[in-house]
Amino acid sequence: MAILTQEEAKKIIDKVLSYAKADETSVSLTGGRTGNIRYARNSVSTSGESNNLALAVTSVFGKRSGTATINELDDASLEKTVRRSEEIARLAPENPEYMPMLGPQKYLTTNPYSENTARIDPDYRAQAAFNSLDPCRKKNLTAAGYLEDTTGFSALGNSKGLVAYNRATSVDFTITVRTADGLGSGYAIRDVTDVSKLNTKEATEIAMQKALASVNARALEPGKYTVILEPAASVDLLQNMMGSMDGRNADEGRSFLSKRGGGTRLGEKLFDERVTIYSDPTNPEIPTSAYGGGGGGRFGGGADGRPQEKVTWVENGVVKNMYYSRYWADKIGVAATPPPAAVIMSGGTQSLAEMIKGTEKGILVTRLWYIRAVDPQTLLYTGLTRDGTFYIENGQIKFPVKNFRFNESPVIMLNNLEAMGKPVRIGGNLIPPLKIRDFTFSSLSDAV
């Protein structure tokens, strides 16, 4: 397995730095093992496992930089890669926004790693697939699913003395179940750090129930409806919103956080007062890398070494923070807060079933897909419901409904908030089910 300890990674990085002749040099070392199993039409179609180890060297002369990568770690190859990155740097144009590399940093202690996940083998994947396929076969339902497990590490070091290391694990599982006639469809998704928390049979049974319940869907007129968005339905819209909280875009008038006439809406109340969104790399349910800056997530790869800390982005509906590149933060004199690796939205204590029971009339949405931006400055998006959409009346699911195309903005959505349930992990985030009034469905879709 291509997993190096912190000491092993540092030894390689230090050797690379010893060859460097540039003004500044940064070394990124990443590696890991990824396994998967895929099935469709109730039969496994592919499975595999790959190991990879990669090293990237960035050399800088003044404001000129160049990067070279390699996956051979013998001394001659390492030195050759350093020389190549320096050659590229000398030929590169100057970057007027280049920022000097960071020196030593202090990082929080995080633990996005599970030994249970690291020990996953082909037998486990086969059993996980069987546990999903078997109940579908017995009910004459058709399953298509995918499970992927990753165990990896990332290490970062530079000539200024920065040293960072992270190891992480993840398991992602999705399952779609269709009825034999293809008219009913259900879906479930799970992701965990520790595979002992994953039950593919339990997730599949939810998708089976939705598939059976969604047969003979009725058409409702498009319009504005009260909806209950399951976390799998709301997470993409919320992630798109969080991905639009870049401070430079706001300052330059290209964001929903830009103020007409100049300035930003930082400090303004833009959402329902119950909306609080924050990130915390030490959260035990969604632990992430302790460093970021250029992405990073659970694994930390692609980061510039800035520490990830607990940050409140929205508090009681008020925008509290935006994230910034180091260049822009230095230019306008603010802290260079990196983008969040994962987000947590505070919710309530109700389960999804309890939220349905408390709804007089509404529509339950399992998930959204094919989401596309319509207007980036208002965050208006369009897309479709899929894999289980149901009409609720007097606290009960009455019948399935045909899928809709929606046109909605998460900003408007979070102002039309009626209730929130208990947050659950979805896509590496913690998101509650949301009850939203006046959610806009613009047309019908015949897809299941």
Side-chain angles (χ1 to χ4, degrees):
M1 186 186 298
I3 303 294
L4 302 183
T5 66
Q6 185 169 2
E7 293 72 23
E8 290 170 334
K10 187 177 186 303
K11 184 177 180 180
I12 294 171
I13 290 173
D14 287 345
K15 181 170 287 188
V16 173
L17 292 174
S18 72
Y19 298 134
K21 298 178 181 179
D23 298 341
E24 294 182 314
T25 304
S26 175
V27 186
S28 172
L29 184 58
T30 59
R33 180 220 67 198
T34 298
N36 68 81
I37 190 164
R38 184 191 303 274
Y39 47 97
R41 292 184 173 273
N42 288 350
S43 177
V44 171
S45 54
T46 62
S47 64
E49 185 173 293
S50 64
N51 283 267
N52 190 43
L53 196 62
L55 182 139
V57 181
T58 298
S59 300
V60 180
F61 294 96
K63 292 189 174 184
R64 305 175 189 270
S65 66
T67 299
T69 61
I70 197 168
N71 60 4
E72 296 176 303
L73 302 181
D74 59 276
D75 291 1
S77 296
L78 293 177
E79 185 172 10
K80 181 181 178 181
T81 307
V82 174
R83 299 285 85 83
R84 178 61 175 156
S85 69
E86 291 174 348
E87 178 185 6
I88 295 170
R90 290 189 177 97
L91 295 171
E94 286 194 348
N95 176 5
E97 297 185 2
Y98 177 76
M99 293 294 293
M101 293 179 184
L102 294 171
Q105 302 291 305
K106 291 185 178 180
Y107 298 112
L108 296 173
T109 299
T110 68
N111 186 31
Y113 177 86
S114 165
E115 193 62 37
N116 290 327
T117 303
R119 289 197 297 264
I120 287 178
D121 58 17
D123 288 342
Y124 172 86
R125 298 183 197 111
Q127 186 64 52
F130 176 80
N131 292 344
S132 175
L133 287 167
D134 188 53
C136 293
R137 290 168 176 160
K138 290 177 178 177
K139 291 286 183 71
N140 194 30
L141 297 170
T142 303
Y146 182 67
L147 183 145
E148 181 175 286
D149 59 275
T150 302
T151 301
F153 83 96
S154 65
L156 189 65
N158 66 27
S159 54
K160 293 287 191 69
L162 183 144
V163 176
Y165 176 86
N166 178 66
R167 64 175 185 168
T169 57
S170 70
V171 186
D172 296 278
F173 174 70
T174 58
I175 175 67
T176 301
V177 176
R178 294 282 175 94
T179 54
D181 58 9
L183 298 180
S185 184
Y187 175 83
I189 181 171
R190 299 287 185 271
D191 72 282
V192 295
T193 299
D194 183 347
V195 73
S196 67
K197 297 180 180 180
L198 175 66
N199 186 326
T200 58
K201 181 180 179 181
E202 174 270 335
T204 300
E205 287 174 344
I206 292 174
M208 291 169 61
Q209 292 167 7
K210 286 180 177 286
L212 291 168
S214 61
V215 175
N216 298 322
R218 306 182 194 179
L220 292 183
E221 284 296 318
K224 291 184 180 294
Y225 287 88
T226 294
V227 298
I228 295 179
L229 300 177
E230 294 192 24
S234 59
V235 64
D236 290 325
L237 290 175
L238 293 173
Q239 283 184 315
N240 286 340
M241 185 184 79
M242 295 306 299
S244 301
M245 295 188 72
D246 178 84
R248 181 173 185 172
N249 286 344
D251 287 328
E252 293 181 341
R254 296 180 283 118
S255 164
F256 81 103
L257 293 175
S258 302
K259 187 182 291 185
R260 288 186 179 181
T264 72
R265 306 188 73 177
L266 187 66
E268 291 188 19
K269 185 175 180 296
L270 298 186
F271 311 102
D272 185 284
E273 63 184 13
R274 290 167 290 179
V275 175
T276 293
I277 302 173
Y278 64 99
S279 55
D280 181 2
T282 68
N283 183 284
E285 293 188 66
I286 53 165
T288 62
S289 172
Y291 62 97
R298 283 168 275 184
F299 293 90
D304 62 15
R306 279 182 282 170
Q308 283 280 8
E309 298 177 342
K310 183 175 181 179
V311 178
T312 299
W313 304 96
V314 178
E315 184 175 38
N316 299 328
V318 178
V319 178
K320 289 291 188 179
N321 281 288
M322 296 183 287
Y323 54 83
Y324 300 86
S325 68
R326 291 182 58 224
Y327 166 79
W328 195 254
D330 182 71
K331 181 180 177 68
I332 65 173
V334 299
T337 305
V343 297
I344 302 163
M345 181 173 177
S346 299
T349 59
Q350 286 186 315
S351 66
L352 179 64
E354 289 170 333
M355 291 182 70
I356 293 171
K357 191 174 182 179
T359 300
E360 184 178 349
K361 287 185 179 181
I363 293 176
L364 174 67
V365 179
T366 295
R367 70 160 171 152
L368 306 175
W369 75 297
Y370 207 65
I371 299 171
R372 295 294 183 269
V374 177
D375 182 358
Q377 287 194 304
T378 61
L379 291 191
L380 180 64
Y381 292 96
T382 188
L384 301 166
T385 66
R386 186 177 183 179
D387 297 319
T389 308
F390 303 94
Y391 179 69
I392 303 167
E393 187 173 274
N394 297 326
Q396 293 183 334
I397 293 177
K398 289 295 185 180
F399 52 81
V401 297
K402 283 193 172 184
N403 285 307
F404 290 102
R405 171 169 292 280
F406 71 89
N407 283 76
E408 194 59 85
S409 164
V411 179
I412 296 173
M413 183 178 85
L414 294 179
N415 272 288
N416 290 339
L417 185 64
E418 288 203 350
M420 296 182 289
K422 183 179 179 180
V424 299
R425 178 164 171 163
I426 187 84
N429 306 283
L430 284 177
I431 305 294
L434 302 175
K435 185 175 178 180
I436 308 294
R437 65 180 176 273
D438 293 334
F439 192 88
T440 303
F441 291 125
S442 54
S443 61
L444 293 176
S445 168
D446 287 328
V448 297

